[in-house]
Amino acid sequence: MKYIPLILVTLFTFTLQLNAQNFEVSGTIKNGEDQNIPFASVFLLKVSDSTMVKGVSADDNGMFTFKNVTPSTYLIKASYIGRSSNLIGLDVSKDIVLGALIIDQSTENLDEVIVTSMKPKIERLTDRLVFNIENSVVSQGSSWDVLKRTPGVIAMQENLMIRGQAATVYINDRKVQLSSDEIRELLENYSAGHIKQIEVISNPPAKYDAEGGPVLNIVTNKNISMGYKGNISSTYTQSIFPKYTLGTSHFYKTEKLNLFASYIHGPRKDFKNTESAINFIDDTGVFSRWLTDYDKTTKAKSHTAQLNLDYAINDRNTIILASSASISPNKTFDNMQFTEMRNGQGQLDSTFVTQSDLLENKNNFSTDLTYEYSFKEEGSLVLNGHFTKYKGDNTQNAQSDYFNVDNEFMRTFGFYTDADQDIEIFTTQLDLTTTIGIFDFETGLKGSFINSDSGIAYYNTTNDEKVLISNLSDDYRYEEQVYAGYFSLSKDWEKTSFKAGLRAEQTKSTGFSTSLSEINDLMYFELFPTVHLNYKPHDNHSFAFNYSRKLTRPRYEELNPFRYYINENNFSEGNPNLSPSFSHNFNLNYTLNEEFYFDLYYRDNGKYISSLLFQDNQNLVLRDITQNVLESTSYGLDFTYGKSVMNWWYLYTYISIFHEDETFIALESNDQTVTNEVNGAYIDLTNYLNLSKDGTFKGEIGLTYLSGFLEGSYTQEERTNLTLGLRKTLWNKRAVLSLQANDLLNKVNSRISSKYLNQDNSYLTRPETQYVRLGFTFNFGNFRLEDNKRDIDKIERDRLSDN
């Protein structure tokens, strides 16, 4: 790693020398009346087949510039709202200043002809699948709705999955640094009308951190007008309990300054019911059966704010400040459990009732400071610093009362816990993007430093006084340093495109537990190669292959050796001995007529970090343990096809046939080896409807089906979801009114079970998936503006608790 800075400086110097061989092409776009046309598109094309080499947008004065153009012969044309200039030939051997490119914008009187795009376009690029939705019927509703309908994405409650892995959400290449439920809440309030395209990056290239799975990148459409815009928005959701959100955002832009601020308040009350069954087994078979009905009511008042500032010092130098704060004070959990304990013949032995009250506070603050330098030719140098401060604490007071078969009180058991967690994350990163000869080149360095302090005190309160139980209490400190460097090269030829990279990461971590009196040190150096190949022998056929090696580190909470109790017989515990897991990801894709998409994938997940639940048949205890499995694999075939059935009706189809398996050590079955596997299918049929001639009233009817899925030691049964959505644009796009209905068939929630050797337990959880949601947004100011809203891109923050 000590040679990487020297290598980067050498490559940077060599690159600047090479860039001097390239040239600029500039000009102006005008209409037939000699008026400038702002924001028109300009394309530089190959002479051989008219395929695009480069594309730029004109500024608000109709002027454009192509930078870093390789010497050759090209064609150039301009386009604006469906009309184009004539093709002009260029021999680029020096800097060229063109005269005006003329776009004929003569008008014709049409008899109320309104063209509305219904079909979203899917493109296969070298390292990603691009789902273009701008101005299509798919752009209705919220960003969350669009992501759920993106090819290759499976919605699993709060998570968006790609090939069995949770996807990381980005907006304009900036990571959305929120927990999974907070991401959903954010995207449900982020209008899909701002989205230009969704990028599905199943195997992220070397620029992305080695840790993390597939990426979903939301690319927004951008206008560069100056001025002010703002909006207020609100949603009302009716389920078991009503809930609402209220938010506002404001954006101001001048020639040098972009300023964005937003605030969302989301008070809510949620209910979740869980029915579970445990069969405790000995040599004679089932000797005790526990049936539990568990109600959980949660009340929260969250506050989320963002402040972003971009300042352009000049044309080449920009400073960017991005900050966010999330506060969730006095969040309460009211838990009530009723359990029947029956013998092997099904006769009632006794019952117990557990009342558990939990109070939680969370504060999460983060800030990014970025400096960007743009080269005279194509490319940039970016220096970034990041800081995150996370603090959370919770107290739990629980009591279980036991009754005999005649409902007479027998005994009681109570406990009290006081837990806290304090995490600080520092990162610094340098990225260089430029060209080396004929190749596009990216390289960079990154350092990340994490400090986590956690503590839990466990008290027995059975006799109405707090008695500290030292062996169930602990303080845990975790420190981690990661140093990384990467580079990648890419090139597009006439029929072939190529991108390859290598990332190197050096990791050192230390964990210390006071109760266990042990230190866990870990140090490793790993290489993470990526390869992407595209081959298009014919306009109707395209093939692609990609490979990557990836890393998954334990979440901070998973490393804590604490126990978190539902009751004294049911708890989860961390594992300070967890080790990172490494995966190999292979994909082979075929595209026919740019309409039929086939994707064959295989993933060796290695010693995947999984949450496994075991029943202790001797002590009648259920415990959830995080551990490394012995091995895990995933493979499958995905098929995507979309068709306009009629000019107002577009049908989207996505089918995935997959296999998932995990092999682990059964800790409560004499450490035998067990393989849990699922062969399943996922089907998504979504109808996008244009319900008005002017395109201001749109609808959606969707049906998804999942035959089953794997969740650690559990297997999930089939589930079906029928959804309905309506969206109406009002007052010349000043306002949007939407209505959504989810889980109309009440079949989204399905039973999850684990049955092997001496393990036999299952549960059915019913959160508030059935709901009707009404949303309203009002825009004011110059709402043509696109804001500089961004989310802070730090993989280290992903390992914060979602709870």
Side-chain angles (χ1 to χ4, degrees):
M1 294 298 293
K2 65 181 181 180
Y3 299 110
I4 288 182
L6 179 60
I7 294 172
L8 286 176
V9 172
T10 303
L11 289 173
F12 178 64
T13 304
F14 178 59
T15 296
L16 292 179
Q17 294 174 350
L18 289 173
N19 280 340
Q21 302 174 5
N22 299 326
F23 304 102
E24 291 187 359
V25 176
S26 59
T28 306
I29 307 170
K30 295 179 179 290
N31 60 22
E33 299 176 356
D34 199 35
Q35 296 173 332
N36 294 342
I37 303 178
F39 316 127
S41 300
V42 191
F43 305 100
L44 205 61
L45 310 173
K46 292 181 179 179
V47 175
S48 58
D49 57 3
S50 296
T51 57
M52 187 176 72
V53 178
K54 291 177 178 289
V56 297
S57 294
D59 62 18
D60 50 0
N61 294 315
M63 301 180 66
F64 68 91
T65 301
F66 285 103
K67 297 181 179 180
N68 197 29
V69 179
T70 304
S72 185
T73 302
Y74 301 95
L75 298 173
I76 189 171
K77 75 171 183 178
S79 176
Y80 185 72
I81 313 181
R83 297 183 181 273
S84 301
S85 67
N86 294 327
L87 285 171
I88 298 176
L90 294 177
D91 184 6
V92 179
S93 57
K94 61 180 181 179
D95 290 345
I96 296 177
V97 179
L98 293 171
L101 298 178
I102 306 299
I103 298 178
D104 182 11
Q105 291 188 286
S106 59
T107 59
E108 299 178 8
N109 293 324
L110 302 179
D111 185 14
E112 201 177 354
V113 175
I114 298 174
V115 179
T116 303
S117 174
M118 290 295 296
K119 181 179 180 180
K121 183 181 180 182
I122 302 174
E123 296 179 85
R124 181 78 68 179
L125 301 183
T126 305
D127 59 354
R128 65 198 64 192
L129 182 75
V130 180
F131 189 39
N132 294 286
I133 70 162
E134 189 174 23
N135 297 323
S136 74
V137 69
V138 183
S139 62
Q140 66 166 309
S142 69
S143 299
W144 179 261
D145 298 328
V146 173
L147 290 183
K148 290 194 301 181
R149 298 292 178 257
T150 299
V153 177
I154 298 176
M156 294 285 292
Q157 296 179 1
E158 305 296 335
N159 293 315
L160 298 167
M161 311 288 290
I162 298 177
R163 299 166 185 160
Q165 290 183 297
T168 304
V169 177
Y170 285 66
I171 297 179
N172 294 327
D173 274 330
R174 308 297 290 179
K175 188 186 303 298
V176 180
Q177 295 292 352
L178 298 170
S179 65
S180 57
D181 56 338
E182 290 170 332
I183 287 176
R184 176 169 181 170
E185 182 177 336
L186 169 69
L187 296 179
E188 284 180 339
N189 293 281
Y190 189 82
S191 171
H194 295 312
I195 298 178
K196 179 180 180 181
Q197 59 192 28
I198 306 292
E199 296 178 342
V200 182
I201 313 174
S202 56
N203 277 343
K207 181 178 180 179
Y208 294 83
D209 289 89
E211 182 174 14
V215 167
L216 281 172
N217 183 37
I218 301 174
V219 181
T220 62
N221 44 41
K222 294 185 178 181
N223 297 317
I224 57 175
S225 306
M226 298 183 187
Y228 165 79
K229 77 168 185 178
N231 69 53
I232 55 173
S233 61
S234 180
T235 64
Y236 175 83
T237 302
Q238 181 60 56
S239 187
I240 295 176
F241 294 118
K243 53 203 103 235
Y244 70 91
T245 64
L246 181 63
T248 182
S249 64
H250 304 271
F251 177 66
Y252 178 69
K253 179 180 177 67
T254 67
E255 184 176 350
K256 290 182 174 292
L257 177 68
N258 290 354
L259 182 64
F260 171 83
S262 72
Y263 168 75
I264 298 175
H265 179 44
R268 58 188 299 129
K269 183 178 181 181
D270 297 294
F271 177 81
K272 181 168 66 176
N273 171 261
T274 301
E275 295 178 356
S276 63
I278 309 173
N279 291 321
F280 291 104
I281 301 172
D282 60 14
D283 295 338
T284 64
V286 177
F287 69 90
S288 182
R289 178 175 174 83
W290 289 18
L291 302 174
T292 299
D293 190 354
Y294 175 30
D295 291 339
K296 180 178 182 178
T297 303
T298 306
K299 297 179 182 179
K301 294 181 179 180
S302 63
H303 305 267
T304 302
Q306 281 188 289
L307 177 64
N308 299 334
L309 184 150
D310 300 3
Y311 181 73
I313 301 172
N314 51 43
D315 291 342
R316 296 187 184 177
N317 296 273
T318 304
I319 295 177
I320 301 170
L321 174 68
S323 58
S324 65
S326 177
I327 302 174
S328 180
N330 300 323
K331 185 176 182 179
T332 62
F333 302 83
D334 184 6
N335 304 322
M336 177 66 72
Q337 274 189 324
F338 177 78
T339 300
E340 292 183 351
M341 295 176 284
R342 298 179 178 271
N343 60 25
Q345 290 72 44
Q347 297 171 329
L348 183 66
D349 280 339
S350 57
T351 63
F352 72 90
V353 178
T354 301
Q355 172 70 43
S356 172
D357 298 315
L358 190 146
L359 177 64
E360 177 184 82
N361 294 282
K362 279 186 181 180
N363 297 320
N364 193 337
F365 170 79
S366 63
T367 185
D368 256 26
L369 183 61
T370 303
Y371 167 71
E372 294 184 1
Y373 174 75
S374 300
F375 301 140
K376 181 179 179 182
E377 291 77 21
E378 194 170 290
S380 64
L381 186 69
V382 180
L383 177 63
N384 171 265
H386 170 84
F387 172 70
T388 284
K389 176 70 172 180
Y390 171 90
K391 187 173 181 61
D393 62 78
N394 66 72
T395 58
Q396 181 183 14
N397 191 9
Q399 178 175 302
S400 296
D401 295 325
Y402 291 79
F403 303 88
N404 62 20
V405 68
D406 296 321
N407 202 31
E408 297 173 338
F409 176 78
M410 298 169 56
R411 63 182 178 88
T412 189
F413 179 85
F415 66 89
Y416 176 87
T417 61
D418 188 351
D420 64 85
Q421 187 166 39
D422 195 340
I423 298 173
E424 291 184 344
I425 301 172
F426 301 87
T427 71
T428 182
Q429 186 166 344
L430 176 68
D431 295 292
L432 169 68
T433 303
T434 184
T435 59
I436 295 182
I438 63 173
F439 292 98
D440 293 326
F441 177 68
E442 293 179 319
T443 189
L445 294 170
K446 180 180 179 181
S448 63
F449 312 92
I450 297 99
N451 296 310
S452 173
D453 288 301
S454 306
I456 186 171
Y458 180 96
Y459 301 88
N460 188 311
T461 59
T462 302
N463 297 319
D464 295 329
E465 62 179 277
K466 292 182 180 180
V467 179
L468 180 67
I469 309 299
S470 58
N471 65 322
L472 296 180
S473 304
D474 198 3
D475 288 302
Y476 185 75
R477 178 172 179 80
Y478 178 78
E479 297 180 353
E480 179 183 281
Q481 300 91 40
V482 180
Y483 303 92
Y486 76 91
F487 74 89
S488 68
L489 293 170
S490 62
K491 172 64 177 173
D492 293 334
W493 290 276
E494 183 177 349
K495 295 183 178 181
T496 305
S497 60
F498 165 81
K499 186 171 187 176
L502 182 66
R503 188 179 186 90
E505 292 193 358
Q506 172 74 42
T507 303
K508 179 183 179 181
S509 64
T510 300
F512 175 70
S513 167
T514 56
S515 68
L516 299 179
S517 298
E518 67 179 29
I519 299 176
N520 294 285
D521 288 328
L522 193 62
M523 180 180 292
Y524 55 91
F525 174 81
E526 296 288 342
L527 296 176
F528 303 93
T530 59
V531 178
H532 300 82
L533 289 171
N534 264 25
Y535 177 59
K536 192 172 184 179
H538 188 272
D539 289 343
N540 296 330
H541 303 277
S542 176
F543 299 89
F545 169 79
N546 56 72
Y547 162 77
S548 68
R549 183 174 187 252
K550 288 295 180 181
L551 161 72
T552 301
R553 293 185 177 92
R555 300 172 65 87
Y556 310 121
E557 187 178 66
E558 294 171 344
L559 292 166
N560 296 345
F562 304 163
R563 288 183 175 181
Y564 295 91
Y565 289 84
I566 296 176
N567 57 53
E568 64 271 26
N569 302 97
N570 190 345
F571 58 85
S572 61
E573 59 183 337
N575 182 1
N577 297 311
L578 288 174
S579 60
S581 64
F582 301 89
S583 64
H584 296 274
N585 308 269
F586 301 86
N587 297 94
L588 181 62
N589 309 309
Y590 169 63
T591 303
L592 175 62
N593 296 330
E594 294 188 352
E595 290 184 339
F596 300 90
Y597 295 86
F598 301 87
D599 189 349
L600 182 66
Y601 69 91
Y602 174 83
R603 185 173 67 250
D604 179 358
N605 301 306
K607 296 183 178 181
Y608 183 71
I609 300 172
S610 186
S611 180
L612 307 173
L613 194 141
F614 300 105
Q615 61 187 66
D616 180 349
N617 291 304
Q618 182 175 356
N619 297 306
L620 305 182
V621 169
L622 199 66
R623 58 177 181 151
D624 192 335
I625 303 175
T626 304
Q627 70 176 39
N628 292 95
V629 302
L630 299 177
E631 59 181 1
S632 172
T633 56
S634 307
Y635 54 84
L637 175 65
D638 295 349
F639 169 74
T640 305
Y641 177 64
K643 181 178 179 60
S644 293
V645 181
M646 302 182 71
N647 60 1
W648 53 271
W649 175 14
Y650 177 74
L651 175 64
Y652 161 76
T653 304
Y654 170 66
I655 300 174
S656 178
I657 302 172
F658 59 86
H659 169 88
E660 301 278 341
D661 67 65
E662 290 184 14
T663 301
F664 57 91
I665 297 176
L667 299 181
E668 296 295 344
S669 307
N670 297 321
D671 290 344
Q672 296 185 61
T673 299
V674 173
T675 299
N676 190 19
E677 59 183 346
V678 168
N679 295 308
Y682 178 81
I683 301 173
D684 184 349
L685 301 174
T686 305
N687 302 272
Y688 299 101
L689 310 174
N690 202 357
L691 303 176
S692 66
K693 289 184 178 181
D694 59 1
T696 61
F697 188 32
K698 298 179 180 180
E700 173 190 323
I701 301 175
L703 179 68
T704 60
Y705 170 79
L706 179 64
S707 63
F709 207 72
L710 189 68
E711 294 191 15
S713 54
Y714 282 96
T715 301
Q716 183 186 81
E717 297 178 359
E718 66 177 13
R719 44 174 282 192
T720 304
N721 189 15
L722 178 63
T723 61
L724 173 66
L726 297 171
R727 180 174 184 262
K728 175 64 177 175
T729 303
L730 305 169
W731 309 324
N732 194 24
K733 298 185 179 180
R734 285 279 178 183
V736 177
L737 183 65
S738 64
L739 179 68
Q740 300 177 44
N742 191 68
D743 193 13
L744 295 175
L745 301 178
N746 195 23
K747 292 184 177 295
V748 166
N749 304 309
S750 60
R751 182 164 291 275
I752 298 175
S753 59
S754 178
K755 188 173 183 178
Y756 62 89
L757 301 176
N758 64 343
Q759 304 287 293
D760 187 358
N761 58 85
S762 65
Y763 65 89
L764 172 61
T765 299
R766 300 187 186 92
E768 294 179 273
T769 55
Q770 277 195 308
Y771 62 80
V772 176
R773 176 173 297 149
L774 182 66
F776 180 76
T777 299
F778 180 74
N779 302 299
F780 46 85
N782 181 9
F783 62 93
R784 290 179 61 245
L785 280 165
E786 182 61 29
D787 57 51
N788 63 334
K789 182 169 186 272
R790 56 174 55 86
D791 292 275
I792 297 174
D793 177 11
K794 290 294 166 288
I795 193 72
E796 292 79 13
R797 286 171 51 84
D798 286 352
R799 292 153 65 196
L800 295 173
S801 170
D802 282 348
N803 296 324

